[in-house]
Amino acid sequence: QMLQLAAATPLAYTIGPLRTGTAAVRTAGFRLDGSTPAPAEMRLAAIKAELDERSVLWRGVCFEREDLERALVDARETPPQAAPPAAPSSPAAGFGDAVAQAEAEAAAVRAMSVDAIRQELDAFGADSAAIADGDKDKLVSELLNARAFSKPHFSP
């Protein structure tokens, strides 16, 4: 019974007729043959949607329809820019060259003799006498820090 009642009751509103022809094409923002319509043939909402799709800044810039149409024509004529490089996967990944350079410097200091390390530490004004000769790792660390955070002190 309810189905019959619902079917017999007219709708309070009706859906407009299905748009066909030019109006439907203008509404959709594309043509049935796959070509792109000129901005002058498009609805304003379709122009704005395409500008957004193309990442064109138009809000607060284009206030008149002609400005929006011109922006869309320019965007279509300009090839899309390459995507920005992907962000590094970790904060340190972006410093690959610096890390490699620091590792190479550390390897070079480890290859130096203890006396050469002490000499360079003295040039930086660091007191290397407190570090035992057998603790080369500590000397290497002190020299790397001195190179990073100090300027050498040369005696006249």
Side-chain angles (χ1 to χ4, degrees), residues 59-145:
R59 288 178 179 84
V61 177
C62 301
F63 299 102
E64 301 294 326
R65 180 180 178 95
E66 293 78 25
D67 297 334
L68 290 164
E69 289 175 4
R70 191 174 321 110
L72 183 54
V73 168
D74 291 344
R76 286 177 176 175
E77 290 175 354
T78 306
Q81 295 180 353
S89 57
S90 69
F95 300 101
D97 291 341
V99 170
Q101 186 179 13
E103 288 173 348
E105 183 178 6
V109 171
R110 278 190 215 96
M112 294 170 62
S113 69
V114 171
D115 289 335
I117 294 173
R118 286 188 186 279
Q119 254 183 337
E120 192 171 337
L121 280 170
D122 291 343
F124 280 107
D127 182 22
S128 65
I131 303 171
D133 283 342
D135 196 0
K136 186 172 181 179
D137 288 338
K138 178 72 173 163
L139 286 169
V140 168
S141 175
E142 288 296 318
L143 180 55
L144 291 172
N145 285 328

Side-chain angles (χ1 to χ4, degrees), residues 1 15 18 28 38-39 49 90 92 103 111 153 156:
Q1 286 183 356
I15 299 173
L18 180 61
S90 69
E103 288 173 348
H153 300 282

